[in-house]
Amino acid sequence: MKQIFRWMGMVAVVLSCAMFASCNDNKPEPDPDDDATVPFKTITLSCDGETATGVVDGQNVTFVFNQAEDFTSATIAADLNNGYTMTYPTTLTGVDLASTPVFNFTDKNNKVIKYYISFVSNAFPIANAAKLQIEGLGEAENITLDNAQKLITIKYDRDRMDYDNIVINFLDGALLDGVQLPENLAFAISDGLEQQLVLNLNGERVYTVKFDVSAYQKKQVSEYGFTDESFKYNLDADSPVKVYATTALPNIPVNVASSTQCTPDWSWNFTAPICYGVPNARYWDGGIYREDVNDLYASQGWFDWTYDDIFTFPGDWKDDREICNTYGRLVIVLIDQEKVNVGMKGASAGVKFGSCNNLVVATGLSNSATFGHYLLNIGGQSLNELVAEGSDSYVAYRASIGTKGGKVKFGVVAPKNGTNYEIPFQNDYQSVNKKNLYDNADKTWEADNTAWVAAMGIHEGKTLSINDIVANDWTNYISDMGVLGMGWGDGFYWARTIVGTTYDNKIAIMINAPGGDNWESIDGYVNVDNGGYYSGVGFNFTGYSLKQMFWLASQLGWKDAVCLGQSENAEAPGYTGCVKVNGVSVFTDAELAPISWDAGKYANNGADINAGYVLTIDKK
């Protein structure tokens, strides 16, 4: 019996050892994933029907595609290591990785691990935004790239960039291998604020080049109280034309000073300075302004000019100038240059305004024999070109408006031997030799149509001073009434038409209703009538001066601005301002002619106006 129990015990020991051995044989080997220090073995994205595997470099993952370009609806496939969970994106399909290019993972200790995503695709041939350059500027200066949107943004700097010749350079490393560039990498903003740049890498890759001109758009029309009146002109919903109007402008620079410091005298009394138009009795600071002007007028036997009344142009205005609230109807028409063609109509005998049925039409200079000294060239045919009438009246070059290929342009133009030449804009009055400028002018003025204008107030963003005006006009003649010379006027009685272009690529027209003596009913008016000469702090009147209109244009981001003409006094009604949109005048006849001696000229929506030329604008 004892042997039986001893044998059974030995069997139990053997069985237990066998079981222990068997258990040891079934234990799994350690999984190397348990010790992984990265969240995934592989990760892939499927976009635009193409799949790419991520290449990891530290905390960055790059996906290289051949054709895919839309990463706003990606499908993710990740082979995760043990203990790791993907916490962002929260779904694996339809993921917008273009907006938020990041992966978030958590490990077994709930520590968040981020990976930043970048995409490389032949669809995006620009590889390095830091290697883009605007010619004349530093690398990546004033230029940014959004590759996902295929958007290149250029922040315009008028002091260092040519508005109509901005060249993009692609430096070494900017592009993927094999990219073919277009022959022309120069852009003109006048062709549009958004333009296409086509690069070729196994097919055309189209980028948008966008110009940011916001630095020069100081204010919008709504900020000056203008309201949209486009609905009055039966314009289509997609019309490129907008019409804005106001009956008051608050807080604009005054045309008069707080006190009259010159003798109010409309006669040619040379014993005392004459205050043209509205007195503006701020003394000059001296320097070349006063000396040059005195020399000019002294040589003609005129008076000693010491006051800045008609010489207070926007470029000369002081920062501390008084401001006032001004009243009267003022209209601004804005037209998308990209959607229209601009032209001119003209004839030696004048153009009947009422016969013009264009989308937008504005009167130019008068064809009056007295005040009609202007160059007019329509389609290569010269009309009313001024010829020599003596050294004082010969106008060799003047500020001009032109049209070319359906666009409007501005410059200083001189006719010589049947050809129009462009005079380079002059910035320094004292260094200008006008005869040499004229004799040596050799750059042809390229335009289909050309006419001289009454005045230039803004040139390529520069608000002009008296020196600028004199330097760029052959005659040196500054007039507050006539269109000969510069046609400047202080008076708020006159109607004027201003045409220009804005930095955001619009054609702009501004016209005012002539002011008058009907201000008694205006709330807040301060009566400071002083024998026909008006001055005083907070002076309110109806009507706007040409200077105030140019000042407003500069505030609204006009790049260029010229005055096509201004109405005259009773003895010289040489110009009638009128603008029509879709066949309708922007003013009623009553608004255009509040002054009795001018009332008969505006009947029938300006139909009877006989202009020297008209500016026309029509949809493409």
Side-chain angles (χ1 to χ4, degrees):
M1 183 65 69
K2 289 181 180 180
Q3 288 181 345
I4 293 173
F5 281 112
R6 188 180 297 115
W7 178 81
M8 290 178 65
M10 292 175 65
V11 170
V13 171
V14 171
L15 288 173
S16 64
C17 290
M19 290 177 63
F20 180 78
S22 175
C23 289
N24 284 343
D25 288 343
N26 292 333
K27 184 177 180 180
E29 294 293 330
D31 191 335
D33 285 358
D34 293 340
D35 298 322
T37 58
V38 295
F40 54 86
K41 299 182 185 69
T42 60
I43 190 164
T44 63
L45 291 183
S46 296
C47 305
D48 268 3
E50 185 178 358
T51 300
T53 300
V55 177
V56 180
D57 180 9
Q59 298 304 119
N60 301 300
V61 185
T62 301
F63 295 91
V64 180
F65 293 89
N66 184 46
Q67 297 293 336
E69 57 181 298
D70 182 4
F71 307 113
T72 61
S73 183
T75 297
I76 304 168
D79 184 4
L80 299 181
N81 287 319
N82 290 342
Y84 290 92
T85 305
M86 177 179 280
T87 55
Y88 185 86
T90 57
T91 180
L92 298 179
T93 59
V95 182
D96 183 358
L97 291 176
S99 299
T100 311
V102 65
F103 292 141
N104 285 348
F105 302 90
T106 57
D107 63 12
K108 63 186 68 176
N109 298 315
N110 288 323
K111 178 183 177 181
V112 176
I113 304 169
K114 284 183 177 290
Y115 282 82
Y116 300 96
I117 305 167
S118 60
F119 304 98
V120 175
S121 173
N122 285 341
F124 300 106
I126 302 178
N128 189 347
K131 294 299 180 179
L132 298 182
Q133 180 194 41
I134 302 298
E135 192 168 279
L137 277 64
E139 294 183 21
E141 186 178 6
N142 284 35
I143 183 168
T144 57
L145 171 69
D146 182 342
N147 226 354
Q149 301 298 321
K150 288 190 177 175
L151 177 64
I152 299 171
T153 301
I154 297 174
K155 186 174 183 180
Y156 176 65
D157 183 340
R158 69 185 179 198
D159 295 324
R160 298 190 294 164
M161 298 180 190
D162 183 340
Y163 189 81
D164 284 321
N165 187 35
I166 296 177
V167 179
I168 300 177
N169 291 329
F170 293 89
L171 306 179
D172 288 343
L175 301 170
L176 297 178
D177 290 340
V179 176
Q180 294 179 347
L181 294 171
E183 291 184 6
N184 185 12
L185 290 169
F187 293 85
I189 300 181
S190 57
D191 289 334
L193 290 181
E194 294 189 4
Q195 301 177 44
Q196 287 188 344
L197 170 64
V198 180
L199 307 179
N200 197 299
L201 181 61
N202 298 326
E204 290 189 346
R205 315 298 181 176
V206 181
Y207 281 78
T208 297
V209 178
K210 181 179 180 180
F211 295 96
D212 177 4
V213 297
S214 58
Y216 305 106
Q217 295 288 127
K218 298 177 184 177
K219 291 193 176 181
Q220 302 297 320
V221 289
S222 58
E223 296 179 72
Y224 281 104
F226 284 83
T227 57
D228 189 342
E229 292 190 352
S230 306
F231 64 91
K232 293 183 178 180
Y233 302 93
N234 299 314
L235 297 167
D236 298 335
D238 62 344
S239 174
V241 179
K242 290 287 186 180
V243 183
Y244 301 90
T246 187
T247 56
L249 283 180
N251 301 322
I252 68 172
V254 299
N255 234 24
V256 292
S258 58
S259 61
T260 300
Q261 299 185 23
C262 58
T263 304
D265 188 352
W266 274 99
S267 68
W268 290 97
N269 176 6
F270 297 144
T271 60
I274 297 175
C275 290
Y276 276 70
V278 180
N280 213 344
R282 290 173 61 105
Y283 285 94
W284 285 101
D285 293 333
I288 63 170
Y289 286 29
R290 178 173 177 175
E291 292 172 6
D292 286 350
V293 173
N294 284 348
D295 290 345
L296 168 64
Y297 286 103
S299 67
Q300 301 181 27
W302 286 31
F303 48 81
D304 178 21
W305 197 284
T306 58
Y307 302 93
D308 76 343
D309 77 316
I310 68 168
F311 289 165
T312 309
F313 307 113
D316 294 332
W317 279 355
K318 313 296 188 297
D319 291 337
D320 63 343
R321 194 164 192 84
E322 297 171 46
I323 59 175
C324 67
N325 298 327
T326 308
Y327 299 91
R329 182 166 166 81
L330 188 67
V331 176
I332 293 177
V333 183
L334 297 178
I335 309 112
D336 286 342
Q337 170 71 86
E338 301 164 63
K339 300 178 181 179
V340 298
N341 287 317
V342 187
M344 282 186 194
K345 296 179 182 179
S348 298
V351 179
K352 281 288 186 180
F353 186 74
S355 67
C356 300
N357 298 312
N358 307 83
L359 178 60
V360 180
V361 60
T363 50
L365 293 182
S366 165
N367 69 323
S368 159
T370 304
F371 289 93
H373 296 311
Y374 56 89
L375 165 73
L376 183 64
N377 184 289
I378 300 292
Q381 181 182 2
S382 294
L383 306 170
N384 294 350
E385 184 174 323
L386 182 67
V387 296
E389 297 177 2
S391 59
D392 291 336
S393 60
Y394 180 60
V395 184
Y397 57 80
R398 288 272 310 278
S400 303
I401 185 172
T403 66
K404 178 66 175 177
K407 294 184 179 181
V408 66
K409 60 183 297 186
F410 306 92
V412 180
V413 177
K416 292 196 301 181
N417 303 319
T419 301
N420 293 333
Y421 293 91
E422 185 172 358
I423 300 294
F425 191 83
Q426 303 299 305
N427 291 295
D428 186 351
Y429 173 80
Q430 289 185 311
S431 67
V432 173
N433 184 317
K434 297 187 177 183
K435 187 175 186 308
N436 284 347
L437 274 177
Y438 179 78
D439 290 343
N440 296 322
D442 59 2
K443 180 181 179 181
T444 304
W445 167 258
E446 300 292 343
D448 302 318
N449 310 297
T450 303
W452 277 331
V453 297
M456 178 181 286
I458 305 173
H459 177 69
E460 295 185 351
K462 176 184 175 68
T463 53
L464 303 193
S465 69
I466 176 61
N467 279 354
D468 298 320
I469 294 167
V470 172
N472 291 280
D473 183 83
W474 174 279
T475 64
N476 288 346
Y477 180 67
I478 308 298
S479 168
D480 73 326
M481 290 293 187
V483 296
L484 181 63
M486 279 293 142
W488 287 91
D490 241 351
F492 48 83
Y493 286 100
W494 323 123
R496 304 175 180 89
T497 306
I498 294 177
V499 174
T501 55
T502 67
Y503 276 103
D504 59 350
N505 207 30
K506 290 183 173 59
I507 303 165
I509 300 174
M510 185 189 304
I511 184 170
N512 66 310
D517 299 335
N518 56 346
W519 45 57
E520 288 82 357
S521 62
I522 297 176
D523 185 35
Y525 168 68
V526 179
N527 186 358
V528 290
D529 189 336
N530 180 23
Y533 291 82
Y534 310 102
S535 62
V537 176
F539 174 58
N540 303 318
F541 50 80
T542 59
Y544 306 90
S545 76
L546 182 58
K547 303 164 196 174
Q548 289 171 324
M549 293 170 71
F550 276 132
W551 175 87
L552 178 63
S554 71
Q555 298 299 301
L556 295 175
W558 290 32
K559 175 180 172 287
D560 294 280
V562 300
C563 177
L564 298 188
Q566 68 174 43
S567 61
E568 314 301 341
N569 58 24
E571 289 74 32
Y575 169 78
T576 302
C578 200
V579 172
K580 289 195 301 185
V581 175
N582 211 19
V584 179
S585 172
V586 297
F587 291 106
T588 66
D589 292 333
E591 288 170 332
L592 276 170
I595 305 171
S596 59
W597 49 259
D598 228 8
K601 292 168 47 180
Y602 299 90
N604 304 318
N605 247 354
D608 297 332
I609 294 174
N610 193 33
Y613 68 90
V614 294
L615 191 72
T616 63
I617 299 173
D618 291 293
K619 289 179 69 172
K620 287 184 177 179

